[in-house]
Amino acid sequence: MDLRGRALFNRDRLRILLMLFHAMAQTVAEQEVENLSGLSTNPGKDIFVVRENGTTCLMAEFAAKFIVPYDVWASNYVDLITEQAEIALTRGAEVNGRCGHNESELQVFWIDRAYTLKMLFVKESHNTSKGPEGTWRLSKVQFVYDTLEKTHFKDPVSAGKHTANSHHLAALVTPAGMSYECQAQQSISLASSDPQKTVTMILSAVHIQPFDIISDFVFSEEHKCPVDEREQLEETLPLILGLILGLVIVITLVIYHIHHKMTANQVQIPRDRSQYKHMG
């Protein structure tokens, strides 16, 4: 290859590298993640936002804690005792995420990355008698925890990092285009890499939408969980019954008043015939 050809080859290669670098830089610049937990009036609730191309593509508000069993030595250093650590998701956590047409992911890290929460969401379409209907759901949860973190773990036998995963998960099922809202507590079991241990994830005050967000930083119409709907019904049912009872009492009083008035205006005919001579 002559010098001119080599120069052209090097120039083309440089151009390709610059294009790749620009594309990568543009991709990084187009994706933003924000922790807006400071805006929440609930100190135990976190708010996470993932944005791509300048618009919000995933929003998540929830409170989360994890009940983690771990073994410690008994006082005789022969037997094992199972303790429980209660680990809450704290404010100021790092957040990462990605959005896709049918798959989105949220990642949260806290306490110097001793704990990592990954939540995977998928959107699906199903054929029904009414035609195709789309839904989204939480399809996988992974929780990585380090028992060497001394705030929550005291002298664990199996010290080090462990991973707990969900199994065949189908949670937070919501019609496509809607957000999921649930104030009640929900538990998800996660199988840990620490042998024979099950981690329990407890979610509450949840409001999540990983797909089809129309307005920036604004949730779409809420799809409430059955527990919240039942509790709302239980709260409003006494009020409805009270209104119905009050209405029945009012109607009864009105009918009685009308009947009494009509009866009072009628001419009283004496039953004793001897009293007729006093009439007229």
Side-chain angles (χ1 to χ4, degrees), residues 15-273:
R15 183 184 302 167
I16 293 172
L17 290 174
L18 287 173
M19 289 175 64
L20 288 172
F21 177 77
H22 177 73
M24 292 175 63
Q26 188 177 22
T27 301
V28 173
E30 287 176 350
Q31 178 173 310
E32 306 171 32
V33 290
E34 299 182 61
N35 184 339
L36 303 179
S37 302
L39 301 177
S40 175
T41 56
N42 182 347
K45 183 177 176 180
D46 292 274
I47 305 175
F48 305 111
V49 175
V50 180
R51 307 179 79 235
E52 283 188 352
N53 301 319
T55 59
T56 304
C57 60
L58 187 155
M59 286 181 64
E61 299 182 13
F62 58 89
K65 65 180 178 181
F66 301 84
I67 309 300
V68 181
Y70 67 101
D71 291 333
V72 298
W73 290 113
S75 57
N76 59 10
Y77 291 97
V78 176
D79 300 320
L80 291 176
I81 300 175
T82 300
E83 300 284 356
Q84 283 191 340
E86 184 173 309
I87 303 163
L89 176 57
T90 59
R91 288 194 169 185
E94 299 177 56
V95 58
N96 198 357
R98 60 180 177 86
C99 296
H101 182 67
N102 294 317
E103 189 174 288
S104 296
E105 185 177 22
L106 180 68
Q107 301 178 19
V108 186
F109 315 88
W110 68 102
I111 310 186
D112 297 324
R113 295 201 169 215
Y115 307 107
T116 301
L117 170 63
K118 294 182 181 180
M119 305 173 74
L120 181 67
F121 305 92
V122 296
K123 186 168 67 170
E124 302 166 322
S125 180
H126 306 279
N127 291 322
T128 66
S129 58
K130 299 179 181 179
E133 291 186 357
T135 59
W136 66 262
R137 61 185 171 89
L138 175 62
S139 64
K140 183 177 181 181
V141 171
Q142 183 182 82
F143 179 57
V144 180
Y145 59 98
D146 191 349
T147 57
L148 289 174
E149 196 276 308
K150 298 186 180 301
T151 305
H152 299 93
F153 297 96
K154 308 298 181 184
D155 302 319
V157 173
S158 300
K161 285 200 171 185
H162 300 279
T163 302
N165 288 299
S166 60
H167 185 63
H168 298 307
L169 183 63
L172 320 186
V173 180
T174 303
M178 300 182 70
S179 62
Y180 176 89
E181 186 176 35
C182 192
Q183 296 301 314
Q185 285 192 351
Q186 304 170 81
S187 298
I188 298 175
S189 296
L190 310 174
S192 177
S193 58
D194 192 0
Q196 298 181 340
K197 297 292 186 292
T198 299
V199 175
T200 302
M201 175 185 181
I202 301 175
L203 290 172
S204 62
V206 176
H207 200 177
I208 293 178
Q209 185 172 358
F211 303 101
D212 306 317
I213 296 178
I214 299 174
S215 302
D216 219 14
F217 297 108
V218 178
F219 285 109
S220 299
E221 181 185 353
E222 300 88 0
H223 171 74
K224 293 186 179 293
C225 62
V227 177
D228 278 9
E229 289 183 342
R230 186 166 59 249
E231 289 181 351
Q232 185 177 7
L233 178 62
E234 290 174 353
E235 290 175 358
T236 56
L237 189 59
L239 178 61
I240 295 172
L241 292 175
L243 289 173
I244 293 173
L245 179 60
L247 185 60
V248 169
I249 293 173
V250 169
I251 293 173
T252 304
L253 289 173
V254 169
I255 294 174
Y256 174 78
H257 177 72
I258 294 173
H259 176 73
H260 181 73
K261 190 173 182 181
M262 291 176 64
T263 304
N265 291 334
Q266 290 179 352
V267 178
Q268 299 293 325
I269 300 175
R271 295 181 179 180
D272 189 352
R273 291 176 179 267

